[in-house]
Amino acid sequence: MSKVLNFNAGPAALPRSVLEQAQAELVDFNGTGMSVMELSHRSGAYDEVHVQAKEQLKSIMNIPDTHDVLFLQGGASHQFAMLPMNFLHSNKVGYYVLSGSWSEKALSEAEKIGDTKVVASSKEDTYSHIPKELALDSLPNAAYLHLTSNNTIFGTQWGNFPDVNVPLVADMSSDILSKEIDVSKFDCIYAGAQKNLGPSGVTVVIIRKDWIKEANKAIPKILQYETHAKANSLYNTPPTFSIYILSLVLNWVEAQGGIGAVQRMNEQKANLLYDCIDSSEGFYKGHASKESRSNMNVTFTLPNKELTEKFLKEAKELGMSGLNGHRSVGGCRASIYNAVPLEACEQLVEFMKIFKGKN
Ligand SMILES: *Cc1c(COP(=O)(O)O)cnc(C)c1O
């Protein structure tokens, strides 16, 4: 068994027990004599997986009956386009909060579809914080307000979400299922699965049923939320294996004690790392300002490029993988999603202290 500690930003660590169960069931799923990958997506055996994943997500995240859960494909990036195609019509305006590269990408897709407006941005501060000055009282003719709940690349995360009287949409790709949230506040939440939910290939969309009715009907059927909602995400062949792994991850979350327990563990993990950064007398510097720090992606720099390279090299030799920062910002980043165990963070902190002492 390899002893790699996986700090990858995405695709990211999955719980070991999930992988082991998938391995044990790989060639014979539930007595069917077939792999879950080989089952018809219309079969009873697969349907159980599909329905259970959906119901379990609803129960774990406390998703109200006003909202539907869809399993789509194309990742969060596909949602960047699908959302405005559905809702940015009739001369309405898509409002965007820019808090990082993913928000920028979401905005640039919407710009191709209709009118957009940036309501707040922290770009000038290299996205080191969630924008503070939010002028959200008046959003005339709004189709929706879009935000990115956790900025995977810069390591910032929203604390309290804004109260607005227009449809609120969040890209939660990198912090869904990591903490308790009030789903009823949002008209749409979407997330590619490969950070906290499972493997890549499935995109979870949680969307208010009444809002779907307001969507543009003049776009291709496959791009309409309504199509997938009506067909229980079985309009076309869904990514069955990814949904199966998602269902195993949801079992794992329940076994941890649910989302509250996972949240407390995540806070503990993040605090360990931030305490280490803050008590390093400036040797390690966090990229994010304190009030915007992410519990999922801890970004930091070392005094210079040579030390950064040395740090990453030595970490790798100790089996710590994925600690290099995103190519656009450099430095280091420890992604500590749900499935990254506390011990991995403890070992990283120990290494950081020793490395600082020696250098
Ligand atoms: C990873 C990520 C994306 C991109 O997801 P894809 O599934 O690759 O399209 C978008 N938004 C956020 C916040 C992410 O972390």
Side-chain angles (χ1 to χ4, degrees), residues 9-10 74-78 80 102-103 148-153 171-175 190-195 200 202-203 297 337:
S77 303
H78 186 73
F80 295 166
W102 294 117
S103 333
T148 313
S149 59
N150 183 74
N151 299 282
T152 326
I153 293 172
D171 172 3
M172 291 199 184
S173 294
S174 54
D175 69 347
Y190 62 85
Q194 66 272 20
K195 278 97 185 207
S200 59
V202 61
T203 312
N297 311 95
Y337 300 118

Side-chain angles (χ1 to χ4, degrees), residues 59-97:
S59 130
I60 291 174
M61 287 185 67
N62 212 355
I63 299 172
D65 285 337
T66 46
H67 288 58
D68 211 340
V69 174
L70 310 179
F71 297 138
L72 305 183
Q73 301 183 60
S77 303
H78 186 73
Q79 292 307 306
F80 295 166
M82 189 167 167
L83 177 84
M85 287 178 99
N86 276 266
F87 296 111
L88 199 47
H89 58 81
S90 314
N91 296 317
K92 286 190 191 152
V93 183
Y95 290 92
Y96 283 76
V97 179

Side-chain angles (χ1 to χ4, degrees), residues 112-131:
K112 293 198 160 70
I113 315 284
D115 281 347
T116 59
K117 205 163 190 174
V118 173
V119 276
S121 169
S122 49
K123 186 170 186 159
E124 286 190 356
D125 302 319
T126 54
Y127 292 125
S128 59
H129 58 89
I130 299 294

Side-chain angles (χ1 to χ4, degrees), residues 88-229:
L88 199 47
H89 58 81
S90 314
N91 296 317
K92 286 190 191 152
V93 183
Y95 290 92
Y96 283 76
V97 179
L98 293 192
S99 56
S101 318
W102 294 117
S103 333
E104 285 184 21
K105 287 192 171 146
L107 170 68
S108 76
E109 292 290 61
E111 282 170 343
K112 293 198 160 70
I113 315 284
D115 281 347
T116 59
K117 205 163 190 174
V118 173
V119 276
S121 169
S122 49
K123 186 170 186 159
E124 286 190 356
D125 302 319
T126 54
Y127 292 125
S128 59
H129 58 89
I130 299 294
K132 279 167 245 173
E133 313 282 307
L134 295 171
L136 302 177
D137 300 339
S138 159
L139 301 171
N141 203 20
Y144 53 77
L145 172 69
H146 179 281
L147 60 85
T148 313
S149 59
N150 183 74
N151 299 282
T152 326
I153 293 172
F154 299 94
T156 62
Q157 187 172 24
W158 284 74
N160 297 320
F161 295 108
D163 287 305
V164 287
N165 52 13
V166 304
L168 183 61
V169 179
D171 172 3
M172 291 199 184
S173 294
S174 54
D175 69 347
I176 191 167
L177 218 59
S178 71
K179 60 175 184 179
E180 282 171 341
I181 56 154
D182 179 3
V183 174
S184 70
K185 243 186 145 155
F186 297 89
D187 294 76
C188 178
I189 291 169
Y190 62 85
Q194 66 272 20
K195 278 97 185 207
N196 256 341
L197 293 173
S200 59
V202 61
T203 312
V204 168
V205 176
I206 301 165
I207 184 164
R208 195 164 59 81
K209 292 172 186 166
D210 280 346
W211 200 38
I212 294 178
K213 295 185 193 142
E214 293 172 32
N216 187 354
K217 305 281 188 296
I219 59 174
K221 218 171 163 193
I222 186 74
L223 296 172
Q224 296 182 28
Y225 289 110
E226 184 169 49
T227 304
H228 301 284

